[in-house]
Amino acid sequence: MHAMQYELTLPADYDMAVIRARVFRIGHLLDDWDGLGFKTYLMRERGVNGSPVNQYAPFYLWDTVEGMNSFLWGGAFQGLSNDFGRPSVRQWTGLSYEKGGAVGSPARSAVRRRQPVPEGVELAEVMAEAVDETGRLAGEDGALFAAAAVDTARWELVHFSLWAHEAPKADGDLFEVLHVSAPGRERLPRGRQW
C-alpha cells in the first residue's frame, strides 16, 4: 500500500467554487482506475474550520505501484499539471489501514496529521504506535477508515482518516470531502503492513 498527496495552495481570494465544479465535472474519471484503493478529493477553504488557506489536496491510497505510476505518467496527472502547474507529489509507504464502523456511508470530512519521527527512537515502537493509532481512529464513531504511512526520506508519519460527519475525533488538518473514488478499497490490505 502506498499513500500519495499533492497540495495546490491557492490565492486567498480564489473562488473555491472553481474547485468544486472541477471535481463535479471530472471526479468520476478515477472511479474505476486500476490499482487505486481510493482517492479522496479534498478541499480546505480559508477561514472555514480554522483553515488558514484555500487548498485543493487530494489524498490517495494505492494498492499497486503500477496504478500509481499509470496515474502519474499516463496522462491523468498531466491535466492537473497543465491547469495549475506541476505540484510536488508526496509519497509515503503504507504502515496500516483499517475500516471504520461507518464504512459505506457518504464521506463528509477527512483529517490528515503529519508528524516527524524523532531522532534516537526505536523505529519499531514508533511504527507500532502508528498502527495502534490507526485502529483507534477507525474505532471512533463516524469513521469510515483510517490509515498510517511513513516517508523515510523526511522521517515523517502521516495519519489519514475519513469521516461520515463534520466533527471527527482526530487531530490534524480538517478537509471537506468533495468526492471519493474507491475502485480498489476492498483490495487494500487491512492491519499492519509488515
Side-chain angles (χ1 to χ4, degrees):
M1 180 180 78
H2 306 277
M4 183 179 96
Q5 186 177 38
Y6 47 86
E7 300 171 329
L8 301 174
T9 301
L10 303 161
D13 61 349
Y14 191 85
D15 182 1
M16 295 305 283
V18 172
I19 298 299
R20 291 178 193 282
R22 178 186 179 86
V23 171
F24 181 78
R25 189 178 73 253
I26 66 169
H28 70 281
L29 296 176
L30 269 67
D31 286 353
D32 61 357
W33 194 273
D34 192 37
L36 176 63
F38 67 80
K39 174 182 181 178
T40 54
Y41 295 76
L42 306 177
M43 182 182 94
R44 295 196 296 168
E45 202 162 356
R46 186 172 185 256
V48 177
N49 293 319
S51 177
V53 295
N54 285 329
Q55 193 173 67
Y56 175 56
F59 190 93
Y60 304 73
L61 276 185
W62 297 94
D63 65 329
T64 71
V65 173
E66 294 82 5
M68 180 175 67
N69 288 343
S70 177
F71 172 80
L72 289 169
W73 323 138
F77 182 69
Q78 189 64 50
L80 175 105
S81 296
N82 292 345
D83 292 346
F84 293 98
R86 186 178 61 208
S88 175
V89 179
R90 297 290 312 275
Q91 296 181 32
W92 298 268
T93 300
L95 294 173
S96 61
Y97 168 77
E98 291 293 346
K99 294 180 185 178
V103 71
S105 300
R108 307 268 320 256
S109 63
V111 177
R112 181 208 57 210
R113 178 171 47 105
R114 294 184 297 207
Q115 67 184 83
V117 177
E119 284 288 332
V121 298
E122 289 293 325
L123 293 175
E125 289 177 21
V126 172
M127 300 312 147
E129 289 170 4
V131 170
D132 291 344
E133 177 67 0
T134 301
R136 185 194 71 74
L137 288 168
E140 292 288 347
D141 183 49
L144 280 74
F145 67 79
V150 64
D151 174 345
T152 56
R154 294 183 186 200
W155 287 109
E156 176 187 72
L157 286 170
V158 63
H159 297 274
F160 184 80
S161 49
L162 195 63
W163 302 84
H165 53 71
E166 295 175 358
K169 292 183 180 176
D171 294 326
D173 297 321
L174 180 63
F175 294 88
E176 177 184 353
V177 178
L178 302 177
H179 180 74
V180 177
S181 294
R185 183 179 63 214
E186 294 302 319
R187 289 189 305 270
L188 289 170
R190 292 182 66 184
R192 193 173 94 162
Q193 307 287 311
W194 76 94

